[in-house]
PDB file of all heavy atoms in Angstrom:
ATOM      1  N   GLN A  62       6.740  -2.052  22.610  1.00  0.00           N
ATOM      2  CA  GLN A  62       5.643  -1.217  22.135  1.00  0.00           C
ATOM      3  C   GLN A  62       5.994  -0.550  20.801  1.00  0.00           C
ATOM      4  O   GLN A  62       5.170  -0.480  19.900  1.00  0.00           O
ATOM      5  CB  GLN A  62       5.297  -0.143  23.176  1.00  0.00           C
ATOM      6  CG  GLN A  62       4.697  -0.696  24.446  1.00  0.00           C
ATOM      7  CD  GLN A  62       3.413  -1.453  24.180  1.00  0.00           C
ATOM      8  OE1 GLN A  62       2.589  -1.039  23.380  1.00  0.00           O
ATOM      9  NE2 GLN A  62       3.240  -2.569  24.847  1.00  0.00           N
ATOM     10  N   PHE A  63       7.218  -0.073  20.683  1.00  0.00           N
ATOM     11  CA  PHE A  63       7.662   0.545  19.435  1.00  0.00           C
ATOM     12  C   PHE A  63       7.577  -0.451  18.287  1.00  0.00           C
ATOM     13  O   PHE A  63       7.087  -0.127  17.198  1.00  0.00           O
ATOM     14  CB  PHE A  63       9.105   1.044  19.590  1.00  0.00           C
ATOM     15  CG  PHE A  63       9.731   1.513  18.317  1.00  0.00           C
ATOM     16  CD1 PHE A  63       9.468   2.781  17.832  1.00  0.00           C
ATOM     17  CD2 PHE A  63      10.586   0.688  17.597  1.00  0.00           C
ATOM     18  CE1 PHE A  63      10.041   3.228  16.650  1.00  0.00           C
ATOM     19  CE2 PHE A  63      11.158   1.125  16.423  1.00  0.00           C
ATOM     20  CZ  PHE A  63      10.885   2.392  15.946  1.00  0.00           C
ATOM     21  N   THR A  64       8.043  -1.665  18.523  1.00  0.00           N
ATOM     22  CA  THR A  64       8.024  -2.692  17.484  1.00  0.00           C
ATOM     23  C   THR A  64       6.609  -3.040  17.069  1.00  0.00           C
ATOM     24  O   THR A  64       6.318  -3.165  15.873  1.00  0.00           O
ATOM     25  CB  THR A  64       8.752  -3.954  17.982  1.00  0.00           C
ATOM     26  OG1 THR A  64      10.072  -3.592  18.359  1.00  0.00           O
ATOM     27  CG2 THR A  64       8.801  -5.014  16.918  1.00  0.00           C
ATOM     28  N   LEU A  65       5.717  -3.196  18.037  1.00  0.00           N
ATOM     29  CA  LEU A  65       4.338  -3.562  17.712  1.00  0.00           C
ATOM     30  C   LEU A  65       3.641  -2.469  16.906  1.00  0.00           C
ATOM     31  O   LEU A  65       2.977  -2.750  15.907  1.00  0.00           O
ATOM     32  CB  LEU A  65       3.556  -3.865  18.991  1.00  0.00           C
ATOM     33  CG  LEU A  65       3.991  -5.115  19.738  1.00  0.00           C
ATOM     34  CD1 LEU A  65       3.197  -5.267  21.023  1.00  0.00           C
ATOM     35  CD2 LEU A  65       3.843  -6.332  18.870  1.00  0.00           C
ATOM     36  N   VAL A  66       3.793  -1.232  17.317  1.00  0.00           N
ATOM     37  CA  VAL A  66       3.143  -0.125  16.612  1.00  0.00           C
ATOM     38  C   VAL A  66       3.739   0.061  15.220  1.00  0.00           C
ATOM     39  O   VAL A  66       3.018   0.190  14.223  1.00  0.00           O
ATOM     40  CB  VAL A  66       3.252   1.178  17.442  1.00  0.00           C
ATOM     41  CG1 VAL A  66       2.829   2.382  16.628  1.00  0.00           C
ATOM     42  CG2 VAL A  66       2.415   1.079  18.699  1.00  0.00           C
ATOM     43  N   THR A  67       5.049   0.053  15.135  1.00  0.00           N
ATOM     44  CA  THR A  67       5.724   0.297  13.856  1.00  0.00           C
ATOM     45  C   THR A  67       5.428  -0.815  12.849  1.00  0.00           C
ATOM     46  O   THR A  67       5.101  -0.523  11.693  1.00  0.00           O
ATOM     47  CB  THR A  67       7.239   0.430  14.080  1.00  0.00           C
ATOM     48  OG1 THR A  67       7.471   1.460  15.037  1.00  0.00           O
ATOM     49  CG2 THR A  67       7.945   0.764  12.798  1.00  0.00           C
ATOM     50  N   THR A  68       5.531  -2.063  13.276  1.00  0.00           N
ATOM     51  CA  THR A  68       5.276  -3.155  12.337  1.00  0.00           C
ATOM     52  C   THR A  68       3.824  -3.184  11.878  1.00  0.00           C
ATOM     53  O   THR A  68       3.553  -3.468  10.708  1.00  0.00           O
ATOM     54  CB  THR A  68       5.658  -4.506  12.941  1.00  0.00           C
ATOM     55  OG1 THR A  68       4.987  -4.683  14.196  1.00  0.00           O
ATOM     56  CG2 THR A  68       7.151  -4.624  13.127  1.00  0.00           C
ATOM     57  N   MET A  69       2.907  -2.879  12.775  1.00  0.00           N
ATOM     58  CA  MET A  69       1.497  -2.849  12.387  1.00  0.00           C
ATOM     59  C   MET A  69       1.257  -1.785  11.311  1.00  0.00           C
ATOM     60  O   MET A  69       0.578  -2.046  10.314  1.00  0.00           O
ATOM     61  CB  MET A  69       0.618  -2.559  13.608  1.00  0.00           C
ATOM     62  CG  MET A  69      -0.855  -2.477  13.294  1.00  0.00           C
ATOM     63  SD  MET A  69      -1.828  -1.952  14.696  1.00  0.00           S
ATOM     64  CE  MET A  69      -1.172  -0.341  15.010  1.00  0.00           C
ATOM     65  N   LEU A  70       1.833  -0.614  11.482  1.00  0.00           N
ATOM     66  CA  LEU A  70       1.645   0.448  10.499  1.00  0.00           C
ATOM     67  C   LEU A  70       2.340   0.145   9.172  1.00  0.00           C
ATOM     68  O   LEU A  70       1.820   0.484   8.103  1.00  0.00           O
ATOM     69  CB  LEU A  70       2.139   1.775  11.082  1.00  0.00           C
ATOM     70  CG  LEU A  70       1.296   2.320  12.240  1.00  0.00           C
ATOM     71  CD1 LEU A  70       1.987   3.496  12.894  1.00  0.00           C
ATOM     72  CD2 LEU A  70      -0.081   2.697  11.762  1.00  0.00           C
ATOM     73  N   ILE A  71       3.487  -0.508   9.223  1.00  0.00           N
ATOM     74  CA  ILE A  71       4.172  -0.901   7.989  1.00  0.00           C
ATOM     75  C   ILE A  71       3.345  -1.928   7.235  1.00  0.00           C
ATOM     76  O   ILE A  71       3.202  -1.858   6.006  1.00  0.00           O
ATOM     77  CB  ILE A  71       5.588  -1.423   8.298  1.00  0.00           C
ATOM     78  CG1 ILE A  71       6.480  -0.283   8.762  1.00  0.00           C
ATOM     79  CG2 ILE A  71       6.197  -2.118   7.083  1.00  0.00           C
ATOM     80  CD1 ILE A  71       7.814  -0.719   9.313  1.00  0.00           C
ATOM     81  N   ILE A  72       2.760  -2.885   7.955  1.00  0.00           N
ATOM     82  CA  ILE A  72       1.919  -3.905   7.321  1.00  0.00           C
ATOM     83  C   ILE A  72       0.703  -3.265   6.670  1.00  0.00           C
ATOM     84  O   ILE A  72       0.378  -3.568   5.507  1.00  0.00           O
ATOM     85  CB  ILE A  72       1.504  -4.971   8.360  1.00  0.00           C
ATOM     86  CG1 ILE A  72       2.716  -5.814   8.755  1.00  0.00           C
ATOM     87  CG2 ILE A  72       0.390  -5.850   7.829  1.00  0.00           C
ATOM     88  CD1 ILE A  72       2.483  -6.674   9.970  1.00  0.00           C
ATOM     89  N   PHE A  73       0.040  -2.363   7.374  1.00  0.00           N
ATOM     90  CA  PHE A  73      -1.121  -1.678   6.791  1.00  0.00           C
ATOM     91  C   PHE A  73      -0.721  -0.864   5.561  1.00  0.00           C
ATOM     92  O   PHE A  73      -1.439  -0.850   4.555  1.00  0.00           O
ATOM     93  CB  PHE A  73      -1.793  -0.769   7.815  1.00  0.00           C
ATOM     94  CG  PHE A  73      -2.543  -1.502   8.881  1.00  0.00           C
ATOM     95  CD1 PHE A  73      -2.767  -0.909  10.100  1.00  0.00           C
ATOM     96  CD2 PHE A  73      -3.048  -2.775   8.688  1.00  0.00           C
ATOM     97  CE1 PHE A  73      -3.459  -1.564  11.101  1.00  0.00           C
ATOM     98  CE2 PHE A  73      -3.746  -3.445   9.664  1.00  0.00           C
ATOM     99  CZ  PHE A  73      -3.949  -2.835  10.880  1.00  0.00           C
ATOM    100  N   SER A  74       0.405  -0.192   5.626  1.00  0.00           N
ATOM    101  CA  SER A  74       0.863   0.610   4.490  1.00  0.00           C
ATOM    102  C   SER A  74       1.138  -0.263   3.275  1.00  0.00           C
ATOM    103  O   SER A  74       0.732   0.076   2.153  1.00  0.00           O
ATOM    104  CB  SER A  74       2.123   1.385   4.857  1.00  0.00           C
ATOM    105  OG  SER A  74       1.860   2.301   5.876  1.00  0.00           O
ATOM    106  N   CYS A  75       1.816  -1.377   3.486  1.00  0.00           N
ATOM    107  CA  CYS A  75       2.126  -2.249   2.353  1.00  0.00           C
ATOM    108  C   CYS A  75       0.867  -2.862   1.763  1.00  0.00           C
ATOM    109  O   CYS A  75       0.772  -3.029   0.539  1.00  0.00           O
ATOM    110  CB  CYS A  75       3.107  -3.338   2.783  1.00  0.00           C
ATOM    111  SG  CYS A  75       4.775  -2.724   3.038  1.00  0.00           S
ATOM    112  N   MET A  76      -0.109  -3.195   2.599  1.00  0.00           N
ATOM    113  CA  MET A  76      -1.373  -3.720   2.071  1.00  0.00           C
ATOM    114  C   MET A  76      -2.091  -2.648   1.246  1.00  0.00           C
ATOM    115  O   MET A  76      -2.655  -2.938   0.193  1.00  0.00           O
ATOM    116  CB  MET A  76      -2.259  -4.204   3.211  1.00  0.00           C
ATOM    117  CG  MET A  76      -1.709  -5.389   3.956  1.00  0.00           C
ATOM    118  SD  MET A  76      -1.592  -6.846   2.939  1.00  0.00           S
ATOM    119  CE  MET A  76      -3.283  -7.310   2.847  1.00  0.00           C
ATOM    120  N   CYS A  77      -2.078  -1.415   1.728  1.00  0.00           N
ATOM    121  CA  CYS A  77      -2.687  -0.318   0.964  1.00  0.00           C
ATOM    122  C   CYS A  77      -1.937  -0.067  -0.337  1.00  0.00           C
ATOM    123  O   CYS A  77      -2.555   0.164  -1.383  1.00  0.00           O
ATOM    124  CB  CYS A  77      -2.722   0.953   1.803  1.00  0.00           C
ATOM    125  SG  CYS A  77      -3.891   0.905   3.153  1.00  0.00           S
ATOM    126  N   PHE A  78      -0.602  -0.118  -0.289  1.00  0.00           N
ATOM    127  CA  PHE A  78       0.180   0.050  -1.508  1.00  0.00           C
ATOM    128  C   PHE A  78      -0.147  -1.035  -2.528  1.00  0.00           C
ATOM    129  O   PHE A  78      -0.230  -0.762  -3.729  1.00  0.00           O
ATOM    130  CB  PHE A  78       1.680   0.030  -1.204  1.00  0.00           C
ATOM    131  CG  PHE A  78       2.188   1.207  -0.432  1.00  0.00           C
ATOM    132  CD1 PHE A  78       3.332   1.106   0.336  1.00  0.00           C
ATOM    133  CD2 PHE A  78       1.534   2.429  -0.470  1.00  0.00           C
ATOM    134  CE1 PHE A  78       3.823   2.179   1.043  1.00  0.00           C
ATOM    135  CE2 PHE A  78       2.009   3.521   0.245  1.00  0.00           C
ATOM    136  CZ  PHE A  78       3.154   3.391   1.000  1.00  0.00           C
ATOM    137  N   ALA A  79      -0.327  -2.269  -2.064  1.00  0.00           N
ATOM    138  CA  ALA A  79      -0.661  -3.366  -2.981  1.00  0.00           C
ATOM    139  C   ALA A  79      -2.030  -3.148  -3.620  1.00  0.00           C
ATOM    140  O   ALA A  79      -2.206  -3.385  -4.820  1.00  0.00           O
ATOM    141  CB  ALA A  79      -0.626  -4.696  -2.236  1.00  0.00           C
ATOM    142  N   ALA A  80      -2.994  -2.685  -2.839  1.00  0.00           N
ATOM    143  CA  ALA A  80      -4.326  -2.431  -3.394  1.00  0.00           C
ATOM    144  C   ALA A  80      -4.294  -1.273  -4.395  1.00  0.00           C
ATOM    145  O   ALA A  80      -4.900  -1.352  -5.471  1.00  0.00           O
ATOM    146  CB  ALA A  80      -5.309  -2.130  -2.262  1.00  0.00           C
ATOM    147  N   ILE A  81      -3.583  -0.209  -4.049  1.00  0.00           N
ATOM    148  CA  ILE A  81      -3.459   0.930  -4.950  1.00  0.00           C
ATOM    149  C   ILE A  81      -2.710   0.513  -6.218  1.00  0.00           C
ATOM    150  O   ILE A  81      -3.067   0.916  -7.330  1.00  0.00           O
ATOM    151  CB  ILE A  81      -2.766   2.113  -4.246  1.00  0.00           C
ATOM    152  CG1 ILE A  81      -3.669   2.669  -3.147  1.00  0.00           C
ATOM    153  CG2 ILE A  81      -2.390   3.204  -5.230  1.00  0.00           C
ATOM    154  CD1 ILE A  81      -2.983   3.628  -2.212  1.00  0.00           C
ATOM    155  N   ASP A  82      -1.694  -0.317  -6.057  1.00  0.00           N
ATOM    156  CA  ASP A  82      -0.932  -0.806  -7.196  1.00  0.00           C
ATOM    157  C   ASP A  82      -1.820  -1.596  -8.155  1.00  0.00           C
ATOM    158  O   ASP A  82      -1.734  -1.422  -9.381  1.00  0.00           O
ATOM    159  CB  ASP A  82       0.218  -1.670  -6.694  1.00  0.00           C
ATOM    160  CG  ASP A  82       1.112  -2.145  -7.806  1.00  0.00           C
ATOM    161  OD1 ASP A  82       1.901  -1.323  -8.303  1.00  0.00           O
ATOM    162  OD2 ASP A  82       1.016  -3.333  -8.172  1.00  0.00           O
ATOM    163  N   GLN A  83      -2.669  -2.435  -7.620  1.00  0.00           N
ATOM    164  CA  GLN A  83      -3.565  -3.211  -8.471  1.00  0.00           C
ATOM    165  C   GLN A  83      -4.587  -2.315  -9.170  1.00  0.00           C
ATOM    166  O   GLN A  83      -4.955  -2.562 -10.317  1.00  0.00           O
ATOM    167  CB  GLN A  83      -4.274  -4.288  -7.652  1.00  0.00           C
ATOM    168  CG  GLN A  83      -3.371  -5.409  -7.234  1.00  0.00           C
ATOM    169  CD  GLN A  83      -2.775  -6.130  -8.427  1.00  0.00           C
ATOM    170  OE1 GLN A  83      -3.502  -6.667  -9.252  1.00  0.00           O
ATOM    171  NE2 GLN A  83      -1.460  -6.111  -8.524  1.00  0.00           N
ATOM    172  N   PHE A  84      -5.033  -1.275  -8.495  1.00  0.00           N
ATOM    173  CA  PHE A  84      -5.950  -0.336  -9.131  1.00  0.00           C
ATOM    174  C   PHE A  84      -5.252   0.417 -10.266  1.00  0.00           C
ATOM    175  O   PHE A  84      -5.803   0.578 -11.355  1.00  0.00           O
ATOM    176  CB  PHE A  84      -6.514   0.655  -8.112  1.00  0.00           C
ATOM    177  CG  PHE A  84      -7.302   1.766  -8.737  1.00  0.00           C
ATOM    178  CD1 PHE A  84      -8.577   1.531  -9.233  1.00  0.00           C
ATOM    179  CD2 PHE A  84      -6.770   3.037  -8.857  1.00  0.00           C
ATOM    180  CE1 PHE A  84      -9.309   2.552  -9.826  1.00  0.00           C
ATOM    181  CE2 PHE A  84      -7.483   4.058  -9.453  1.00  0.00           C
ATOM    182  CZ  PHE A  84      -8.760   3.804  -9.938  1.00  0.00           C
ATOM    183  N   LEU A  85      -4.036   0.899 -10.002  1.00  0.00           N
ATOM    184  CA  LEU A  85      -3.305   1.653 -11.021  1.00  0.00           C
ATOM    185  C   LEU A  85      -2.932   0.785 -12.215  1.00  0.00           C
ATOM    186  O   LEU A  85      -2.785   1.279 -13.328  1.00  0.00           O
ATOM    187  CB  LEU A  85      -2.048   2.281 -10.419  1.00  0.00           C
ATOM    188  CG  LEU A  85      -2.268   3.383  -9.389  1.00  0.00           C
ATOM    189  CD1 LEU A  85      -0.943   3.871  -8.850  1.00  0.00           C
ATOM    190  CD2 LEU A  85      -3.068   4.523  -9.975  1.00  0.00           C
ATOM    191  N   LEU A  86      -2.793  -0.508 -11.978  1.00  0.00           N
ATOM    192  CA  LEU A  86      -2.469  -1.424 -13.060  1.00  0.00           C
ATOM    193  C   LEU A  86      -3.609  -1.518 -14.072  1.00  0.00           C
ATOM    194  O   LEU A  86      -3.383  -1.820 -15.245  1.00  0.00           O
ATOM    195  CB  LEU A  86      -2.168  -2.804 -12.481  1.00  0.00           C
ATOM    196  CG  LEU A  86      -1.301  -3.733 -13.300  1.00  0.00           C
ATOM    197  CD1 LEU A  86       0.077  -3.118 -13.468  1.00  0.00           C
ATOM    198  CD2 LEU A  86      -1.198  -5.076 -12.633  1.00  0.00           C
ATOM    199  N   LEU A  87      -4.822  -1.215 -13.632  1.00  0.00           N
ATOM    200  CA  LEU A  87      -5.982  -1.284 -14.516  1.00  0.00           C
ATOM    201  C   LEU A  87      -6.129  -0.059 -15.415  1.00  0.00           C
ATOM    202  O   LEU A  87      -6.873  -0.096 -16.388  1.00  0.00           O
ATOM    203  CB  LEU A  87      -7.261  -1.452 -13.694  1.00  0.00           C
ATOM    204  CG  LEU A  87      -7.378  -2.754 -12.908  1.00  0.00           C
ATOM    205  CD1 LEU A  87      -8.606  -2.714 -12.032  1.00  0.00           C
ATOM    206  CD2 LEU A  87      -7.407  -3.938 -13.846  1.00  0.00           C
ATOM    207  N   THR A  88      -5.454   1.014 -15.084  1.00  0.00           N
ATOM    208  CA  THR A  88      -5.570   2.243 -15.876  1.00  0.00           C
ATOM    209  C   THR A  88      -4.348   2.395 -16.768  1.00  0.00           C
ATOM    210  O   THR A  88      -3.216   2.148 -16.348  1.00  0.00           O
ATOM    211  CB  THR A  88      -5.677   3.475 -14.960  1.00  0.00           C
ATOM    212  OG1 THR A  88      -4.489   3.579 -14.186  1.00  0.00           O
ATOM    213  CG2 THR A  88      -6.883   3.377 -14.049  1.00  0.00           C
ATOM    214  N   ASN A  89      -4.559   2.783 -17.997  1.00  0.00           N
ATOM    215  CA  ASN A  89      -3.440   2.966 -18.933  1.00  0.00           C
ATOM    216  C   ASN A  89      -2.602   4.183 -18.579  1.00  0.00           C
ATOM    217  O   ASN A  89      -1.397   4.209 -18.814  1.00  0.00           O
ATOM    218  CB  ASN A  89      -3.962   3.101 -20.364  1.00  0.00           C
ATOM    219  CG  ASN A  89      -4.475   1.782 -20.897  1.00  0.00           C
ATOM    220  OD1 ASN A  89      -3.995   0.727 -20.489  1.00  0.00           O
ATOM    221  ND2 ASN A  89      -5.443   1.841 -21.785  1.00  0.00           N
ATOM    222  N   ARG A  90      -3.243   5.185 -18.004  1.00  0.00           N
ATOM    223  CA  ARG A  90      -2.550   6.442 -17.722  1.00  0.00           C
ATOM    224  C   ARG A  90      -1.522   6.305 -16.594  1.00  0.00           C
ATOM    225  O   ARG A  90      -0.471   6.947 -16.613  1.00  0.00           O
ATOM    226  CB  ARG A  90      -3.594   7.495 -17.371  1.00  0.00           C
ATOM    227  CG  ARG A  90      -3.012   8.855 -17.148  1.00  0.00           C
ATOM    228  CD  ARG A  90      -4.107   9.853 -16.896  1.00  0.00           C
ATOM    229  NE  ARG A  90      -3.535  11.171 -16.702  1.00  0.00           N
ATOM    230  CZ  ARG A  90      -4.219  12.209 -16.321  1.00  0.00           C
ATOM    231  NH1 ARG A  90      -5.515  12.110 -16.118  1.00  0.00           N
ATOM    232  NH2 ARG A  90      -3.635  13.374 -16.162  1.00  0.00           N
ATOM    233  N   TRP A  91      -1.807   5.484 -15.577  1.00  0.00           N
ATOM    234  CA  TRP A  91      -0.950   5.393 -14.401  1.00  0.00           C
ATOM    235  C   TRP A  91      -0.193   4.068 -14.306  1.00  0.00           C
ATOM    236  O   TRP A  91       0.439   3.779 -13.294  1.00  0.00           O
ATOM    237  CB  TRP A  91      -1.781   5.592 -13.140  1.00  0.00           C
ATOM    238  CG  TRP A  91      -2.491   6.904 -13.120  1.00  0.00           C
ATOM    239  CD1 TRP A  91      -3.804   7.123 -13.356  1.00  0.00           C
ATOM    240  CD2 TRP A  91      -1.910   8.175 -12.876  1.00  0.00           C
ATOM    241  NE1 TRP A  91      -4.089   8.453 -13.271  1.00  0.00           N
ATOM    242  CE2 TRP A  91      -2.934   9.140 -12.973  1.00  0.00           C
ATOM    243  CE3 TRP A  91      -0.615   8.604 -12.583  1.00  0.00           C
ATOM    244  CZ2 TRP A  91      -2.709  10.476 -12.788  1.00  0.00           C
ATOM    245  CZ3 TRP A  91      -0.395   9.957 -12.401  1.00  0.00           C
ATOM    246  CH2 TRP A  91      -1.431  10.870 -12.501  1.00  0.00           C
ATOM    247  N   ARG A  92      -0.259   3.243 -15.332  1.00  0.00           N
ATOM    248  CA  ARG A  92       0.368   1.917 -15.293  1.00  0.00           C
ATOM    249  C   ARG A  92       1.878   1.993 -15.099  1.00  0.00           C
ATOM    250  O   ARG A  92       2.484   1.094 -14.520  1.00  0.00           O
ATOM    251  CB  ARG A  92       0.040   1.162 -16.568  1.00  0.00           C
ATOM    252  CG  ARG A  92       0.495  -0.276 -16.550  1.00  0.00           C
ATOM    253  CD  ARG A  92      -0.038  -1.016 -17.708  1.00  0.00           C
ATOM    254  NE  ARG A  92      -1.479  -1.147 -17.523  1.00  0.00           N
ATOM    255  CZ  ARG A  92      -2.250  -1.847 -18.305  1.00  0.00           C
ATOM    256  NH1 ARG A  92      -1.745  -2.478 -19.322  1.00  0.00           N
ATOM    257  NH2 ARG A  92      -3.543  -1.926 -18.094  1.00  0.00           N
TER     258      ARG A  92
END
């Protein structure tokens, strides 16, 4: 149960980080 919950949350976090990273890449201020 620990593995399933932890890995799911890590996957969601990394996907969110990738989306935020792509957004920040479009702005000169936060690149």
Side-chain angles (χ1 to χ4, degrees):
Q62 292 300 319
F63 171 81
T64 303
L65 292 177
V66 169
T67 304
T68 54
M69 179 187 62
L70 292 171
I71 290 170
I72 290 167
F73 288 156
S74 296
C75 287
M76 294 296 286
C77 289
F78 292 155
I81 292 168
D82 184 76
Q83 288 299 301
F84 172 75
L85 293 178
L86 204 63
L87 295 174
T88 62
N89 288 331
R90 184 176 181 188
W91 302 104
R92 187 171 291 186

